[in-house]
Amino acid sequence: MSARRVRIGIDTGGTFTDVVAVDEDTGEVATTKTPSTPADPADGFLTGVQKVLGQLGLDGSAVTAVSHGTTVATNQLLEGKLDRIGFITTEGYESVLEIARQSVPDGYGNSYFWVKPPRIVPADLVRTVRGRLDVSGAEVRPFSTEDAVAAARFFRDAGITTVGVCFLHAYADDSHERAMLDVLRAEHPGAVVSISSQVLREYREYERSVTTLVDAAVKPKVGAYVTNIRRRLDEIAPDVPFYVMKSNGGVLSAAEVVHQPITTMLSGPAAGALGAALIAGTAGFDRVLTCDGGGTSTDVTVVIDGEPTLTTEGSVGEYPSKIPMIDVVTVGAGGGSIAWLSPEGTLKVGPRSAGADPGPICYDNGGTEPTVTDAHVVLGRIPPHLLGGEIPLSVDAARAGLERLGGELGMGVEQLATGILEISAWNQANALRQVTVARGLDVRDFTLTTFGGSGSLLACRLMDVLGLPRTLVPPNPGNVSAFGLLTVDVRNDYVQTMVSRHADLSPAAVADAFAALETQAAAALDEEGFARDQQRMQRTADLRYVGQAFEVRVPVADGALDAAALDAVATAFHAAHSRLYGYDFAADPRQAVEWVNLRVSGIGPIRRPDIVELKSREGGVDRSVTGTRRVFFDDWAEAPLHWRPDLGPGDVVVGPAVVEEFGSTVPVHPGFAATVDRFGNLLLTKESNQ
């Protein structure tokens, strides 16, 4: 019998590190969780690897690949913990960061109150270099080596070791930026440098500048983190392929990620969306809302026909980013979100979180502020322990904490706990509306798929608030993000700005530009070990009507790019624009079409794990009942407790009830029922819909 071979996916969250191992031959899945270690996330990572291998009775020699989703870059940006950064730009454009954009978050009604955040680089750390290109990349003024040397020496003498470079129109020709990079390497060899033509070869100077500076800012920390894990992973499984999840829904080898750290900004949420998409698609649902509830936050996104929505208009914290990323909306509504009293005397929940240390009050680990988890445990909706008993929870401590806050509000414990959960549910519902209603989609057309440790706790309430037809809860929902890491391909994105009216576009020029992008993508996949016959190229283009400020992305078919192929892209743009904005401009001769960006995604396919059907069981749903517990929904009731691993296909759990498993809990409210499908998913519906 041949030796077992397993692939491991590890998602490090703010509170727990989730681990999934898949047997490459049988498709068997093993899952586990371990507390995250914020002081050194690598500790939790390695503990998770050893824990799942011990569970399978294997050692490191059985591991064929490890894929990782990390929040290192995201957390650094959200917390604003950035070192001093230098910025080098074209002479005359030193104020590009200060001018930024005229748009105000939440609309102009907020303009009186909104204060522009501090720029990522203060004015005294901006240096300019003479030299100028025009929009086509032609040189208008030569590059000044004298200015470049002066800038490099200034940052060296000031002790600035992180530098971003963004020259005007470098997306069209990068020769000036490469010359600046050579000068920095000669004059300031210890500096970490990012140049815009290697980060984002796309027009819009402000976004390109900020994206480049963010890439430079997170490079040292992400590089050190990934390198540390690589070194320690080699102690368990020497030279095993190690991939890191990217925001665009692909993975990249750790060796390459240190050169493209900004691509990992939404690493964890992207993995969860892809894992949920595969699970829900296999169960027969093609329009899905994913809701990933963790200890610190909840991430939501839209999946249509198995593909999560992508955007290049995202941001993390105060920093806009134009890199391709799955369109995720994040709210501070996780299990550890803290309930607090506002200065106006009203109850608020989040975005501040108790995290893993000290954690909620019920952890009995020094936490003093009540959280969403404390509300759940006091109402009996989760058991008085987590992870199958590994983490005991103190119901008495949680109740005492809620009593203190309730005393300030004049509310009883049950009323306060229910209020905390209601606010948290509405925070999540508003995030789900942002990715549907705000994008012109009807939220009622979608199946909600909840996962993460806390993602399913409010599922019934979300169905009520949003009018959703059903909720799908996968098996081991706390590990869906880690599972998603094993479902994704290696993926690299390349972009080239080419602004031209459709009527003036040269098919040959477009074909040459796409060929150059595909050559870059193929070379990167060669480095990742994919043979040319395995590689897949995906072409898209950003188009708009002349005069518009924003573009719509549409696919570009494979094959020759003649005039007919370009016309087909323009026709697809008309249709996509009409779907998004509700008016068809295709027949209006005044509305000329303009091409803006050409894009290529180079994809190296990885074998996806099989989703195994659940074996049938005898004895009916009662076989899964382990006892009862007093649970508060509208009132206290003695609710049956079901152990999910003992449920079989076709079983129906009628509320009020609680379904429990190792890493997650599903409260089934009165008036709801949970049906087990053939893959072991729970399908929550209102009983009247049965």
Side-chain angles (χ1 to χ4, degrees):
M1 184 177 174
S2 60
R4 293 181 69 184
R5 296 154 25 91
V6 296
R7 280 192 293 138
I8 297 176
I10 300 184
D11 177 53
T12 300
T15 308
F16 289 107
T17 294
D18 303 322
V19 189
V20 172
V22 174
D23 189 305
E24 293 209 331
D25 299 317
T26 66
E28 179 189 349
V29 175
T31 65
T32 191
K33 296 168 81 79
T34 187
S36 293
T37 50
D40 185 357
D43 288 341
F45 179 100
L46 272 298
T47 299
V49 171
Q50 291 167 326
K51 193 171 179 180
V52 81
L53 287 176
Q55 192 173 311
L56 293 168
L58 301 172
D59 59 26
S61 64
V63 182
T64 59
V66 177
S67 296
H68 181 38
T70 175
T71 56
V72 168
T74 310
N75 291 345
Q76 187 181 359
L77 295 172
L78 290 175
E79 295 166 11
K81 295 179 179 177
L82 305 181
D83 294 332
R84 297 178 77 210
I85 311 167
F87 181 39
I88 301 174
T89 190
T90 302
E91 184 185 50
Y93 285 80
E94 58 269 20
S95 298
V96 65
L97 299 178
E98 185 61 43
I99 295 169
R101 294 292 178 202
Q102 67 176 8
S103 58
V104 173
D106 301 321
Y108 287 104
N110 191 34
S111 58
Y112 180 79
F113 302 98
W114 183 69
V115 177
K116 184 184 288 188
R119 56 175 158 183
I120 191 170
V121 177
D124 62 312
L125 295 182
V126 178
R127 286 294 176 270
T128 62
V129 173
R130 284 171 291 178
R132 182 71 180 269
L133 305 173
D134 68 15
V135 68
S136 70
E139 189 173 78
V140 176
R141 186 185 305 155
F143 175 76
S144 171
T145 303
E146 179 185 354
D147 287 358
V149 169
R153 290 177 177 174
F154 168 81
F155 290 123
R156 181 194 64 195
D157 296 342
I160 303 298
T161 57
T162 303
V163 180
V165 179
C166 183
F167 289 151
L168 193 65
H169 304 310
Y171 57 83
D173 186 295
D174 65 349
S175 55
H176 285 191
E177 285 194 348
R178 284 188 285 106
M180 185 70 239
L181 181 60
D182 289 341
V183 169
L184 282 164
R185 283 172 174 163
E187 298 290 338
H188 193 4
V192 172
V193 182
S194 291
I195 64 174
S196 76
S197 51
Q198 291 179 356
V199 175
L200 183 70
R201 201 156 184 153
E202 186 176 336
Y203 90 140
R204 290 197 172 103
E205 305 308 314
Y206 170 65
E207 287 81 1
R208 186 157 53 91
S209 297
V210 175
T211 304
T212 302
L213 289 164
V214 168
D215 184 77
V218 300
K219 231 174 207 173
K221 193 164 186 177
V222 171
Y225 172 73
V226 171
T227 302
N228 182 31
I229 286 184
R230 171 77 271 179
R231 177 180 56 79
R232 295 180 62 180
L233 188 59
D234 281 340
E235 296 171 7
I236 301 172
D239 300 321
V240 67
F242 176 36
Y243 298 105
V244 177
M245 185 76 196
K246 297 170 66 179
S247 307
N248 66 356
V251 291
L252 191 63
S253 69
E256 284 300 311
V257 159
V258 297
H259 304 302
Q260 309 177 31
I262 194 172
T263 62
T264 69
M265 283 203 310
L266 290 175
S267 179
L274 287 157
L278 178 62
I279 291 166
T282 304
F285 302 106
D286 59 356
R287 295 172 74 82
V288 176
L289 290 175
T290 71
C291 181
D292 179 3
T296 306
S297 62
T298 295
D299 306 307
V300 304
T301 192
V302 170
V303 177
I304 298 177
D305 295 329
E307 294 293 332
T309 307
L310 286 172
T311 182
T312 55
E313 304 297 329
S315 63
V316 174
E318 299 168 346
Y319 308 111
S321 172
K322 290 282 288 180
I323 62 163
M325 60 178 71
I326 288 177
D327 190 6
V328 175
V329 170
T330 300
V331 290
S337 295
I338 292 170
W340 53 284
L341 196 62
S342 74
E344 298 79 26
T346 57
L347 178 63
K348 303 280 187 181
V349 180
R352 204 159 50 89
S353 172
D357 186 15
I361 296 175
C362 59
Y363 279 24
D364 228 2
N365 190 37
T368 58
E369 298 176 285
T371 66
V372 171
T373 297
D374 293 311
H376 279 299
V377 76
V378 163
L379 296 180
R381 298 191 190 178
I382 60 175
H385 56 76
L386 298 178
L387 305 190
E390 285 186 33
I391 301 177
L393 302 180
S394 172
V395 180
D396 292 340
R399 176 173 283 276
L402 288 172
E403 284 174 347
R404 286 194 297 272
L405 181 59
E408 297 181 57
L409 286 161
M411 300 172 71
V413 169
E414 289 84 1
Q415 186 185 12
L416 174 61
T418 304
I420 290 170
L421 300 186
E422 185 73 357
I423 293 170
S424 187
W426 278 88
N427 286 342
Q428 293 181 14
N430 288 335
L432 289 162
R433 286 192 179 105
Q434 284 184 54
V435 295
T436 52
V437 178
R439 311 282 199 273
L441 301 169
D442 189 335
V443 67
R444 296 166 298 183
D445 292 339
F446 289 82
T447 295
L448 180 65
T449 300
T450 58
F451 55 99
S454 68
S456 306
L457 290 168
L458 297 170
C460 292
R461 189 69 191 114
L462 287 173
M463 290 173 66
D464 274 336
V465 171
L466 296 170
L468 297 165
R470 72 190 66 80
T471 295
L472 183 149
V473 185
N476 301 305
N479 297 86
V480 168
S481 290
F483 173 79
L485 290 163
L486 303 177
T487 72
V488 298
D489 301 319
V490 171
R491 180 179 180 127
N492 282 294
D493 295 312
Y494 300 89
V495 59
Q496 177 66 60
T497 292
M498 179 183 280
V499 180
S500 173
R501 293 195 176 206
H502 180 71
D504 303 330
L505 202 60
S506 161
V510 174
D512 289 345
F514 269 123
L517 294 172
E518 288 173 355
T519 298
Q520 292 180 60
L525 291 173
D526 290 344
E527 290 292 319
E528 296 283 350
F530 291 93
R532 286 294 173 101
D533 61 352
Q534 293 179 293
Q535 299 176 11
R536 191 160 53 86
M537 299 296 160
Q538 194 175 77
R539 302 188 297 203
T540 55
D542 299 342
L543 279 70
R544 66 188 179 193
Y545 291 113
V546 172
Q548 287 189 320
F550 296 97
E551 303 82 45
V552 175
R553 187 170 308 166
V554 290
V556 178
D558 295 336
L561 288 168
D562 53 16
L566 301 189
D567 287 343
V569 175
T571 300
F573 162 71
H574 288 305
H577 193 282
S578 176
R579 281 196 305 273
L580 280 171
Y581 301 110
Y583 185 81
D584 189 358
F585 289 99
D588 189 341
R590 298 170 299 172
Q591 298 295 340
V593 173
E594 188 171 53
W595 291 56
V596 178
N597 298 310
L598 309 180
R599 300 179 184 273
V600 166
S601 296
I603 299 169
I606 289 177
R607 182 186 180 277
R608 287 172 169 75
D610 300 321
I611 295 180
V612 182
E613 292 193 23
L614 199 62
K615 293 178 181 177
S616 60
R617 301 175 188 272
E618 296 180 358
V621 71
D622 290 344
R623 89 179 80 77
S624 64
V625 176
T626 59
T628 63
R629 184 170 64 238
R630 290 182 76 236
V631 182
F632 189 93
F633 291 109
D634 301 319
D635 202 347
W636 287 104
E638 201 69 27
L641 308 177
H642 295 264
W643 183 241
R644 187 168 178 180
D646 292 337
L647 288 169
D651 285 346
V652 179
V653 175
V654 178
V658 179
V659 181
E660 298 177 351
E661 58 186 303
F662 174 76
S664 186
T665 303
V666 183
V668 183
H669 288 226
F672 286 79
T675 304
V676 183
D677 76 359
R678 62 195 177 98
F679 298 105
N681 301 304
L682 289 179
L683 292 175
L684 282 168
T685 54
K686 285 198 170 185
E687 284 191 272
S688 58
N689 294 341
Q690 287 289 304

